Amino acid sequence: MRALAGGPISRLPQLLEAMVTVGSDHDLRRALDRIAENAAALTGARHAAVSLLDEDGDGPGELITHGSSPAAEQPAGTFLEVPIQVQGELFGTLCVAGKDGCGGFGDGDLHLVRVLATQAGIAVSNARTHAAARQRRRWIDGTASVTTALLTEPDTRSTTPNALTVVAEQGRDLAEAATGAVLMPHSDGGMEIVAVSTVLPEAVRAESERARIPPQSPAVHQIRAGLAVFSDNFGGDPRSISPLSRHYGPMMLLPLRSSGRVLGALALCRRPGERRFSHTERTLGTQFAAQAAVALVLADRHRDREQLAVFEDRDRIARDLHDLVIQRLFATGMLLETARRKAQLPEVAEGVGRAVDELDATIQEIRSAIIALQQGPAAVPGLRTRVLREADAATPVLGTRPSVQFLGPVEARLDDEGGRELLAALAKALVGAAPSVSAAAHPVRTEVVVDALATLPDGRPAVRLTVSVPAGTETLTVWERPL
């Protein structure tokens, strides 16, 4: 106790009060401010400082000072420094300088500073433990939100910018970075930025979009090998040969890897001069990238299952149309045909005959729809859809919608150029048919047939477009193309 008091024991109550005050403060900065203030007051120093190491313990961290700044060189005995550590882990140092009076710091002062340094170590350890727990929780929640977003987004696939932007945005937010970007392999062996989230000016965003990292970049080699790339100053890093690196300081380039396969990379970049990524942040970022890659794969498979369900449903509809609807229409047509033959009045027989023709045309259109269903949905309107649109466009001038029939796999037999030629020939034929039907007393059905099973006189297979005006009376081959 005498050693602690260093002479007058009056400083002991002050020390105890200081420890209670510091221990009750949950704000680390305020607690360290009070430790520096109490260290100066209890030892009679004009200056006190708490100098912390960074979270990894291998670089300078925060500096908290109290009192006037000491001279550059202190006389012997007027400067005292002790380590701030808990259970062998070093967090920094606590020092006092500029002893009031003629004497220097004694053993009592040393013990006082050591007690305060221990209290500082406990405060720092607790604060960093709680901060690390909150940080891990935040990254875990962020990873879960990315997975949820990718699996619930209605039109998201792992190859679309929307899904990749989710990963870039969430990664940037979790890492407290200025920019998050997703890179995908390019055909030249390098990598290409396909999604960007940044708080930097729009010019940087524009420069980043679709920017490429050449294949000779050492960073690309590491990513393709499934290894993360970390840099404290990306702009000055010799491994970076991308012009984009001039905008950034600390950087993490993390592989998006799932089942041993590297899908791409996630880049998280801070501004020049900002704090570097800690060991904990690097670990959490790597784990986030791995989980994001798994979520992308799961989302892709989820969309595949949904697409398969759509195809199966289309197959079921096609079977129902073929097995039920067409059979019933065919049976109805047979009944009407029997009624037409038995009809006594010519006008009745003519009306029933027209009804039979309508049923036959409807059956052909349903069969065309069945073929379209079996081919599956297309990302852009297919040839069948465009032919039907041409028929719809001609309805006002013809007085009735033309009947359209498709025979065989039309879209599989014609390329884009052939499709354009067929559509041009159809539009011209329908416009040419308008005068002949306008002179009639009432609209007459015009039939359009696109036959992908046609055969030329020399035996070669072909696609043939025919237009009948009016239906069944004059059939013109308006376009054909050998296969």
Side-chain angles (χ1 to χ4, degrees):
M1 187 66 69
R2 291 192 187 93
L4 179 62
I9 200 170
S10 59
R11 290 186 292 179
L12 182 58
Q14 292 177 265
L15 176 62
L16 295 176
E17 183 181 356
M19 292 177 64
V20 171
T21 303
V22 170
S24 62
D25 198 332
H26 299 293
D27 183 273
L28 179 61
R29 178 58 192 249
R30 286 200 305 265
L32 295 179
D33 278 337
R34 290 182 178 181
I35 286 175
E37 179 182 356
N38 288 318
L42 290 171
T43 60
R46 291 188 298 273
H47 174 80
V50 175
S51 178
L52 297 180
L53 298 174
D54 61 15
E55 292 182 16
D56 294 337
D58 56 1
E62 194 170 10
L63 176 65
I64 296 120
T65 62
H66 174 78
S68 60
S69 299
E73 295 184 4
Q74 293 292 321
T78 62
F79 182 83
L80 185 62
E81 183 177 35
V82 298
I84 297 175
Q85 59 185 0
V86 174
Q87 296 181 347
E89 183 178 1
L90 181 65
F91 294 110
T93 59
L94 171 60
C95 72
V96 290
K99 177 76 170 179
D100 287 335
C102 299
F105 293 107
D107 291 342
D109 296 320
L110 177 60
H111 286 297
L112 283 168
V113 175
R114 282 176 175 172
V115 171
L116 290 173
T118 299
Q119 188 70 17
I122 294 173
V124 173
S125 178
N126 289 340
R128 289 187 175 178
T129 299
H130 293 155
R134 290 193 301 270
Q135 188 180 47
R136 286 188 177 91
R137 180 66 181 177
R138 185 166 166 266
W139 280 87
I140 291 172
D141 290 344
T143 303
S145 67
V146 166
T147 303
T148 301
L150 295 181
L151 294 180
T152 58
E153 186 71 22
D155 296 321
T156 295
R157 296 184 65 85
S158 64
T159 54
T160 63
N162 191 26
L164 301 178
T165 300
V166 170
V167 176
E169 288 179 349
Q170 193 67 31
R172 179 188 62 78
D173 181 62
L174 292 172
E176 298 177 348
T179 297
V182 175
L183 299 88
M184 287 293 174
H186 191 265
S187 57
D188 64 1
M191 302 199 78
E192 179 183 30
I193 296 178
V194 295
V196 179
S197 173
T198 184
V199 297
L200 296 183
E202 186 61 32
V204 178
R205 177 191 295 276
E207 183 182 358
S208 301
E209 291 177 347
R210 294 297 171 183
R212 294 180 184 175
I213 301 178
Q216 61 267 29
S217 168
V220 170
H221 295 164
Q222 283 190 246
I223 287 296
R224 287 189 174 274
L227 302 175
V229 179
F230 302 106
S231 176
D232 292 339
N233 181 19
F234 194 47
D237 196 314
R239 294 173 298 178
S240 172
I241 58 177
S242 170
L244 291 174
S245 62
R246 72 184 188 278
H247 299 295
Y248 302 111
M251 184 276 302
M252 296 192 292
L253 188 60
L254 310 168
L256 295 170
R257 182 174 55 183
S258 176
S259 301
R261 183 168 64 99
V262 177
L263 307 177
L266 172 63
L268 302 173
C269 310
R270 288 175 176 162
R271 294 181 178 92
E274 291 187 341
R275 65 181 179 87
R276 65 179 184 172
F277 290 104
S278 66
H279 177 74
T280 299
E281 288 176 318
R282 294 180 178 187
T283 301
L284 292 173
T286 302
Q287 294 172 351
F288 171 82
Q291 291 299 318
V294 173
L296 289 171
V297 173
L298 290 176
D300 199 37
R301 292 177 180 175
H302 181 66
R303 304 306 166 213
D304 287 342
R305 287 194 297 269
E306 288 185 344
Q307 194 72 4
L308 180 61
V310 170
F311 290 150
E312 290 175 347
D313 196 42
R314 292 170 70 91
D315 287 340
R316 179 188 57 78
I317 294 172
R319 288 194 303 271
D320 290 346
L321 287 173
H322 182 271
D323 297 340
L324 300 176
V325 178
I326 287 183
Q327 295 302 323
R328 289 180 180 177
L329 289 175
F330 185 76
T332 302
M334 295 295 292
L335 292 175
L336 289 174
E337 183 65 29
T338 301
R340 184 180 68 82
R341 289 196 299 267
K342 294 181 179 180
Q344 300 296 324
L345 297 176
E347 56 270 22
V348 174
E350 181 181 355
V352 173
R354 286 199 300 271
V356 171
D357 292 340
E358 291 285 345
L359 283 177
D360 289 341
T362 301
I363 290 172
Q364 293 301 326
E365 290 179 356
I366 291 177
R367 285 175 174 165
S368 298
I370 290 173
I371 295 175
L373 284 170
Q374 291 172 337
Q375 289 183 340
V380 295
L383 180 59
R384 294 171 181 272
T385 301
R386 287 178 287 170
V387 168
L388 293 174
R389 287 178 180 175
E390 287 290 344
D392 289 337
T395 299
V397 296
L398 296 176
T400 184
R401 184 183 183 280
S403 171
V404 181
Q405 180 181 357
F406 298 96
L407 301 177
V410 177
E411 292 179 335
R413 296 291 183 93
L414 285 180
D415 55 17
D416 291 341
E417 181 182 357
R420 288 192 295 269
E421 291 179 2
L422 185 147
L423 291 170
L426 174 60
K428 182 177 180 180
L430 292 177
V431 170
S436 62
V437 298
S438 62
H442 53 79
V444 178
R445 175 179 290 275
T446 302
E447 290 185 354
V448 175
V449 179
V450 182
D451 187 1
L453 304 176
T455 303
L456 297 177
D458 60 5
R460 289 183 297 165
V463 176
R464 179 178 295 132
L465 169 66
T466 59
V467 178
S468 300
V469 185
T473 60
E474 182 182 5
T475 301
L476 302 175
T477 299
V478 298
W479 183 88
E480 64 182 5
R481 180 175 182 173
L483 300 177

mmCIF file of all heavy atoms in Angstrom, residues 365 386-404 426-427 429-435 437-438 442-448:
data_model
loop_
_atom_site.group_PDB
_atom_site.id
_atom_site.type_symbol
_atom_site.label_atom_id
_atom_site.label_comp_id
_atom_site.label_asym_id
_atom_site.label_seq_id
_atom_site.Cartn_x
_atom_site.Cartn_y
_atom_site.Cartn_z
ATOM 1 N N GLU A 365 -55.520 -23.634 -86.111
ATOM 2 C CA GLU A 365 -54.891 -22.632 -85.265
ATOM 3 C C GLU A 365 -54.526 -23.209 -83.894
ATOM 4 O O GLU A 365 -53.476 -22.872 -83.325
ATOM 5 C CB GLU A 365 -55.820 -21.429 -85.104
ATOM 6 C CG GLU A 365 -55.973 -20.621 -86.394
ATOM 7 C CD GLU A 365 -56.907 -19.435 -86.232
ATOM 8 O OE1 GLU A 365 -57.481 -19.298 -85.132
ATOM 9 O OE2 GLU A 365 -57.044 -18.651 -87.180
ATOM 10 N N ARG A 386 -44.756 -13.079 -84.712
ATOM 11 C CA ARG A 386 -44.702 -11.960 -85.670
ATOM 12 C C ARG A 386 -45.619 -12.189 -86.866
ATOM 13 O O ARG A 386 -46.216 -11.244 -87.396
ATOM 14 C CB ARG A 386 -43.264 -11.754 -86.118
ATOM 15 C CG ARG A 386 -42.384 -11.116 -85.024
ATOM 16 C CD ARG A 386 -40.953 -10.962 -85.471
ATOM 17 N NE ARG A 386 -40.283 -12.259 -85.502
ATOM 18 C CZ ARG A 386 -39.077 -12.464 -86.035
ATOM 19 N NH1 ARG A 386 -38.430 -11.462 -86.612
ATOM 20 N NH2 ARG A 386 -38.524 -13.660 -86.002
ATOM 21 N N VAL A 387 -45.779 -13.447 -87.288
ATOM 22 C CA VAL A 387 -46.730 -13.740 -88.371
ATOM 23 C C VAL A 387 -48.158 -13.421 -87.918
ATOM 24 O O VAL A 387 -48.952 -12.818 -88.652
ATOM 25 C CB VAL A 387 -46.599 -15.212 -88.809
ATOM 26 C CG1 VAL A 387 -47.771 -15.612 -89.710
ATOM 27 C CG2 VAL A 387 -45.281 -15.449 -89.538
ATOM 28 N N LEU A 388 -48.486 -13.834 -86.698
ATOM 29 C CA LEU A 388 -49.827 -13.551 -86.178
ATOM 30 C C LEU A 388 -50.059 -12.047 -86.041
ATOM 31 O O LEU A 388 -51.182 -11.562 -86.265
ATOM 32 C CB LEU A 388 -50.010 -14.247 -84.826
ATOM 33 C CG LEU A 388 -50.024 -15.780 -84.875
ATOM 34 C CD1 LEU A 388 -50.053 -16.354 -83.460
ATOM 35 C CD2 LEU A 388 -51.231 -16.288 -85.666
ATOM 36 N N ARG A 389 -49.011 -11.294 -85.688
ATOM 37 C CA ARG A 389 -49.165 -9.843 -85.599
ATOM 38 C C ARG A 389 -49.427 -9.230 -86.967
ATOM 39 O O ARG A 389 -50.194 -8.268 -87.092
ATOM 40 C CB ARG A 389 -47.910 -9.242 -84.968
ATOM 41 C CG ARG A 389 -47.786 -9.512 -83.469
ATOM 42 C CD ARG A 389 -46.496 -8.934 -82.919
ATOM 43 N NE ARG A 389 -46.372 -9.201 -81.496
ATOM 44 C CZ ARG A 389 -45.295 -8.890 -80.761
ATOM 45 N NH1 ARG A 389 -44.250 -8.307 -81.346
ATOM 46 N NH2 ARG A 389 -45.263 -9.163 -79.468
ATOM 47 N N GLU A 390 -48.756 -9.745 -87.988
ATOM 48 C CA GLU A 390 -49.012 -9.258 -89.345
ATOM 49 C C GLU A 390 -50.463 -9.521 -89.743
ATOM 50 O O GLU A 390 -51.112 -8.676 -90.372
ATOM 51 C CB GLU A 390 -48.064 -9.920 -90.344
ATOM 52 C CG GLU A 390 -46.630 -9.438 -90.278
ATOM 53 C CD GLU A 390 -46.480 -8.006 -90.781
ATOM 54 O OE1 GLU A 390 -47.410 -7.502 -91.459
ATOM 55 O OE2 GLU A 390 -45.439 -7.395 -90.486
ATOM 56 N N ALA A 391 -50.963 -10.696 -89.359
ATOM 57 C CA ALA A 391 -52.361 -11.014 -89.665
ATOM 58 C C ALA A 391 -53.310 -10.068 -88.928
ATOM 59 O O ALA A 391 -54.308 -9.590 -89.502
ATOM 60 C CB ALA A 391 -52.659 -12.462 -89.297
ATOM 61 N N ASP A 392 -53.010 -9.785 -87.682
ATOM 62 C CA ASP A 392 -53.842 -8.849 -86.914
ATOM 63 C C ASP A 392 -53.820 -7.462 -87.546
ATOM 64 O O ASP A 392 -54.844 -6.769 -87.605
ATOM 65 C CB ASP A 392 -53.332 -8.757 -85.465
ATOM 66 C CG ASP A 392 -53.630 -10.027 -84.682
ATOM 67 O OD1 ASP A 392 -54.565 -10.759 -85.068
ATOM 68 O OD2 ASP A 392 -52.918 -10.294 -83.686
ATOM 69 N N ALA A 393 -52.635 -7.033 -88.015
ATOM 70 C CA ALA A 393 -52.516 -5.705 -88.605
ATOM 71 C C ALA A 393 -53.330 -5.574 -89.889
ATOM 72 O O ALA A 393 -53.771 -4.476 -90.241
ATOM 73 C CB ALA A 393 -51.044 -5.390 -88.877
ATOM 74 N N ALA A 394 -53.536 -6.695 -90.602
ATOM 75 C CA ALA A 394 -54.288 -6.653 -91.863
ATOM 76 C C ALA A 394 -55.794 -6.754 -91.657
ATOM 77 O O ALA A 394 -56.558 -6.573 -92.610
ATOM 78 C CB ALA A 394 -53.811 -7.788 -92.780
ATOM 79 N N THR A 395 -56.225 -7.035 -90.440
ATOM 80 C CA THR A 395 -57.660 -7.241 -90.193
ATOM 81 C C THR A 395 -58.514 -6.035 -90.590
ATOM 82 O O THR A 395 -59.569 -6.201 -91.225
ATOM 83 C CB THR A 395 -57.886 -7.599 -88.710
ATOM 84 O OG1 THR A 395 -57.194 -8.813 -88.414
ATOM 85 C CG2 THR A 395 -59.367 -7.775 -88.419
ATOM 86 N N PRO A 396 -58.121 -4.775 -90.264
ATOM 87 C CA PRO A 396 -58.989 -3.644 -90.636
ATOM 88 C C PRO A 396 -59.227 -3.518 -92.130
ATOM 89 O O PRO A 396 -60.335 -3.156 -92.552
ATOM 90 C CB PRO A 396 -58.209 -2.434 -90.089
ATOM 91 C CG PRO A 396 -57.371 -2.976 -88.977
ATOM 92 C CD PRO A 396 -56.976 -4.342 -89.434
ATOM 93 N N VAL A 397 -58.229 -3.793 -92.977
ATOM 94 C CA VAL A 397 -58.409 -3.625 -94.420
ATOM 95 C C VAL A 397 -59.077 -4.837 -95.052
ATOM 96 O O VAL A 397 -59.700 -4.729 -96.110
ATOM 97 C CB VAL A 397 -57.065 -3.347 -95.109
ATOM 98 C CG1 VAL A 397 -56.489 -2.029 -94.635
ATOM 99 C CG2 VAL A 397 -56.084 -4.472 -94.858
ATOM 100 N N LEU A 398 -58.969 -6.012 -94.407
ATOM 101 C CA LEU A 398 -59.582 -7.221 -94.960
ATOM 102 C C LEU A 398 -61.020 -7.402 -94.471
ATOM 103 O O LEU A 398 -61.774 -8.171 -95.061
ATOM 104 C CB LEU A 398 -58.764 -8.460 -94.597
ATOM 105 C CG LEU A 398 -57.340 -8.535 -95.181
ATOM 106 C CD1 LEU A 398 -56.617 -9.761 -94.657
ATOM 107 C CD2 LEU A 398 -57.383 -8.547 -96.698
ATOM 108 N N GLY A 399 -61.364 -6.758 -93.380
ATOM 109 C CA GLY A 399 -62.715 -6.898 -92.854
ATOM 110 C C GLY A 399 -62.871 -8.029 -91.867
ATOM 111 O O GLY A 399 -63.875 -8.094 -91.150
ATOM 112 N N THR A 400 -61.920 -8.955 -91.826
ATOM 113 C CA THR A 400 -61.934 -10.056 -90.862
ATOM 114 C C THR A 400 -60.502 -10.537 -90.666
ATOM 115 O O THR A 400 -59.652 -10.355 -91.550
ATOM 116 C CB THR A 400 -62.814 -11.222 -91.364
ATOM 117 O OG1 THR A 400 -62.861 -12.236 -90.352
ATOM 118 C CG2 THR A 400 -62.251 -11.835 -92.630
ATOM 119 N N ARG A 401 -60.247 -11.131 -89.539
ATOM 120 C CA ARG A 401 -58.889 -11.575 -89.260
ATOM 121 C C ARG A 401 -58.547 -12.798 -90.106
ATOM 122 O O ARG A 401 -59.283 -13.777 -90.125
ATOM 123 C CB ARG A 401 -58.739 -11.931 -87.777
ATOM 124 C CG ARG A 401 -57.318 -12.316 -87.382
ATOM 125 C CD ARG A 401 -57.256 -12.717 -85.922
ATOM 126 N NE ARG A 401 -55.897 -13.022 -85.495
ATOM 127 C CZ ARG A 401 -55.279 -14.173 -85.719
ATOM 128 N NH1 ARG A 401 -55.907 -15.142 -86.368
ATOM 129 N NH2 ARG A 401 -54.043 -14.362 -85.305
ATOM 130 N N PRO A 402 -57.403 -12.791 -90.801
ATOM 131 C CA PRO A 402 -57.016 -13.957 -91.593
ATOM 132 C C PRO A 402 -56.789 -15.177 -90.695
ATOM 133 O O PRO A 402 -56.318 -15.055 -89.564
ATOM 134 C CB PRO A 402 -55.706 -13.516 -92.261
ATOM 135 C CG PRO A 402 -55.724 -12.030 -92.221
ATOM 136 C CD PRO A 402 -56.459 -11.674 -90.984
ATOM 137 N N SER A 403 -57.110 -16.330 -91.220
ATOM 138 C CA SER A 403 -56.798 -17.573 -90.533
ATOM 139 C C SER A 403 -55.343 -17.923 -90.811
ATOM 140 O O SER A 403 -54.882 -17.886 -91.951
ATOM 141 C CB SER A 403 -57.711 -18.690 -91.034
ATOM 142 O OG SER A 403 -57.289 -19.937 -90.546
ATOM 143 N N VAL A 404 -54.596 -18.246 -89.762
ATOM 144 C CA VAL A 404 -53.166 -18.540 -89.896
ATOM 145 C C VAL A 404 -52.919 -19.967 -89.448
ATOM 146 O O VAL A 404 -53.363 -20.380 -88.373
ATOM 147 C CB VAL A 404 -52.308 -17.564 -89.067
ATOM 148 C CG1 VAL A 404 -50.828 -17.880 -89.247
ATOM 149 C CG2 VAL A 404 -52.596 -16.121 -89.459
ATOM 150 N N LEU A 426 -45.388 -11.782 -96.651
ATOM 151 C CA LEU A 426 -46.738 -11.894 -96.112
ATOM 152 C C LEU A 426 -47.434 -10.540 -96.072
ATOM 153 O O LEU A 426 -48.610 -10.416 -96.456
ATOM 154 C CB LEU A 426 -46.666 -12.489 -94.700
ATOM 155 C CG LEU A 426 -47.998 -12.549 -93.934
ATOM 156 C CD1 LEU A 426 -49.017 -13.401 -94.683
ATOM 157 C CD2 LEU A 426 -47.783 -13.074 -92.530
ATOM 158 N N ALA A 427 -46.733 -9.498 -95.604
ATOM 159 C CA ALA A 427 -47.330 -8.165 -95.540
ATOM 160 C C ALA A 427 -47.753 -7.694 -96.926
ATOM 161 O O ALA A 427 -48.845 -7.136 -97.111
ATOM 162 C CB ALA A 427 -46.340 -7.184 -94.913
ATOM 163 N N ALA A 429 -48.497 -9.614 -99.522
ATOM 164 C CA ALA A 429 -49.618 -10.422 -100.016
ATOM 165 C C ALA A 429 -50.932 -9.998 -99.372
ATOM 166 O O ALA A 429 -51.971 -9.945 -100.048
ATOM 167 C CB ALA A 429 -49.344 -11.900 -99.741
ATOM 168 N N LEU A 430 -50.917 -9.700 -98.093
ATOM 169 C CA LEU A 430 -52.153 -9.305 -97.416
ATOM 170 C C LEU A 430 -52.641 -7.941 -97.909
ATOM 171 O O LEU A 430 -53.849 -7.723 -98.063
ATOM 172 C CB LEU A 430 -51.933 -9.275 -95.901
ATOM 173 C CG LEU A 430 -51.702 -10.639 -95.244
ATOM 174 C CD1 LEU A 430 -51.416 -10.492 -93.763
ATOM 175 C CD2 LEU A 430 -52.916 -11.554 -95.451
ATOM 176 N N VAL A 431 -51.697 -7.039 -98.162
ATOM 177 C CA VAL A 431 -52.098 -5.748 -98.723
ATOM 178 C C VAL A 431 -52.681 -5.929 -100.126
ATOM 179 O O VAL A 431 -53.684 -5.310 -100.504
ATOM 180 C CB VAL A 431 -50.895 -4.787 -98.758
ATOM 181 C CG1 VAL A 431 -51.231 -3.526 -99.562
ATOM 182 C CG2 VAL A 431 -50.486 -4.418 -97.341
ATOM 183 N N GLY A 432 -52.083 -6.829 -100.917
ATOM 184 C CA GLY A 432 -52.602 -7.088 -102.249
ATOM 185 C C GLY A 432 -53.945 -7.782 -102.245
ATOM 186 O O GLY A 432 -54.714 -7.689 -103.211
ATOM 187 N N ALA A 433 -54.252 -8.492 -101.175
ATOM 188 C CA ALA A 433 -55.534 -9.186 -101.097
ATOM 189 C C ALA A 433 -56.677 -8.254 -100.762
ATOM 190 O O ALA A 433 -57.842 -8.584 -100.997
ATOM 191 C CB ALA A 433 -55.456 -10.295 -100.039
ATOM 192 N N ALA A 434 -56.413 -7.101 -100.254
ATOM 193 C CA ALA A 434 -57.459 -6.200 -99.792
ATOM 194 C C ALA A 434 -58.445 -5.797 -100.893
ATOM 195 O O ALA A 434 -59.661 -5.841 -100.680
ATOM 196 C CB ALA A 434 -56.834 -4.966 -99.155
ATOM 197 N N PRO A 435 -58.034 -5.403 -102.119
ATOM 198 C CA PRO A 435 -59.028 -5.004 -103.130
ATOM 199 C C PRO A 435 -60.014 -6.108 -103.482
ATOM 200 O O PRO A 435 -61.188 -5.858 -103.693
ATOM 201 C CB PRO A 435 -58.150 -4.624 -104.327
ATOM 202 C CG PRO A 435 -56.818 -4.304 -103.746
ATOM 203 C CD PRO A 435 -56.671 -5.229 -102.589
ATOM 204 N N VAL A 437 -61.220 -8.532 -101.662
ATOM 205 C CA VAL A 437 -62.240 -8.831 -100.654
ATOM 206 C C VAL A 437 -63.111 -7.620 -100.377
ATOM 207 O O VAL A 437 -64.249 -7.762 -99.955
ATOM 208 C CB VAL A 437 -61.595 -9.303 -99.335
ATOM 209 C CG1 VAL A 437 -60.821 -10.580 -99.557
ATOM 210 C CG2 VAL A 437 -60.685 -8.226 -98.753
ATOM 211 N N SER A 438 -62.627 -6.420 -100.656
ATOM 212 C CA SER A 438 -63.441 -5.243 -100.387
ATOM 213 C C SER A 438 -64.613 -5.133 -101.336
ATOM 214 O O SER A 438 -65.609 -4.501 -101.021
ATOM 215 C CB SER A 438 -62.582 -3.981 -100.465
ATOM 216 O OG SER A 438 -62.048 -3.843 -101.771
ATOM 217 N N HIS A 442 -69.734 -9.113 -98.274
ATOM 218 C CA HIS A 442 -69.357 -9.214 -96.864
ATOM 219 C C HIS A 442 -67.942 -9.783 -96.803
ATOM 220 O O HIS A 442 -67.468 -10.392 -97.762
ATOM 221 C CB HIS A 442 -70.349 -10.115 -96.113
ATOM 222 C CG HIS A 442 -70.530 -11.457 -96.747
ATOM 223 N ND1 HIS A 442 -69.626 -12.486 -96.604
ATOM 224 C CD2 HIS A 442 -71.513 -11.938 -97.581
ATOM 225 C CE1 HIS A 442 -70.040 -13.551 -97.284
ATOM 226 N NE2 HIS A 442 -71.185 -13.239 -97.887
ATOM 227 N N PRO A 443 -67.287 -9.583 -95.699
ATOM 228 C CA PRO A 443 -65.897 -10.057 -95.593
ATOM 229 C C PRO A 443 -65.801 -11.562 -95.819
ATOM 230 O O PRO A 443 -66.669 -12.335 -95.408
ATOM 231 C CB PRO A 443 -65.509 -9.692 -94.160
ATOM 232 C CG PRO A 443 -66.437 -8.581 -93.788
ATOM 233 C CD PRO A 443 -67.729 -8.885 -94.490
ATOM 234 N N VAL A 444 -64.721 -11.939 -96.462
ATOM 235 C CA VAL A 444 -64.462 -13.350 -96.732
ATOM 236 C C VAL A 444 -63.142 -13.735 -96.068
ATOM 237 O O VAL A 444 -62.173 -12.988 -96.133
ATOM 238 C CB VAL A 444 -64.397 -13.627 -98.250
ATOM 239 C CG1 VAL A 444 -64.086 -15.098 -98.522
ATOM 240 C CG2 VAL A 444 -65.706 -13.220 -98.904
ATOM 241 N N ARG A 445 -63.130 -14.894 -95.437
ATOM 242 C CA ARG A 445 -61.926 -15.312 -94.725
ATOM 243 C C ARG A 445 -60.756 -15.510 -95.685
ATOM 244 O O ARG A 445 -60.892 -16.120 -96.741
ATOM 245 C CB ARG A 445 -62.191 -16.608 -93.957
ATOM 246 C CG ARG A 445 -60.928 -17.180 -93.281
ATOM 247 C CD ARG A 445 -61.226 -18.437 -92.530
ATOM 248 N NE ARG A 445 -62.025 -18.155 -91.348
ATOM 249 C CZ ARG A 445 -61.508 -17.786 -90.167
ATOM 250 N NH1 ARG A 445 -60.207 -17.642 -90.047
ATOM 251 N NH2 ARG A 445 -62.292 -17.542 -89.148
ATOM 252 N N THR A 446 -59.614 -14.983 -95.278
ATOM 253 C CA THR A 446 -58.355 -15.175 -95.994
ATOM 254 C C THR A 446 -57.499 -16.134 -95.177
ATOM 255 O O THR A 446 -57.354 -15.963 -93.974
ATOM 256 C CB THR A 446 -57.621 -13.839 -96.172
ATOM 257 O OG1 THR A 446 -58.473 -12.938 -96.876
ATOM 258 C CG2 THR A 446 -56.331 -14.039 -96.944
ATOM 259 N N GLU A 447 -56.925 -17.137 -95.836
ATOM 260 C CA GLU A 447 -56.138 -18.145 -95.141
ATOM 261 C C GLU A 447 -54.651 -17.962 -95.441
ATOM 262 O O GLU A 447 -54.267 -17.777 -96.589
ATOM 263 C CB GLU A 447 -56.566 -19.558 -95.538
ATOM 264 C CG GLU A 447 -57.939 -19.950 -95.018
ATOM 265 C CD GLU A 447 -58.270 -21.401 -95.328
ATOM 266 O OE1 GLU A 447 -57.462 -22.042 -96.039
ATOM 267 O OE2 GLU A 447 -59.314 -21.875 -94.873
ATOM 268 N N VAL A 448 -53.862 -18.034 -94.392
ATOM 269 C CA VAL A 448 -52.403 -17.961 -94.505
ATOM 270 C C VAL A 448 -51.842 -19.274 -93.978
ATOM 271 O O VAL A 448 -52.186 -19.711 -92.879
ATOM 272 C CB VAL A 448 -51.841 -16.776 -93.688
ATOM 273 C CG1 VAL A 448 -50.317 -16.779 -93.723
ATOM 274 C CG2 VAL A 448 -52.389 -15.451 -94.218
#
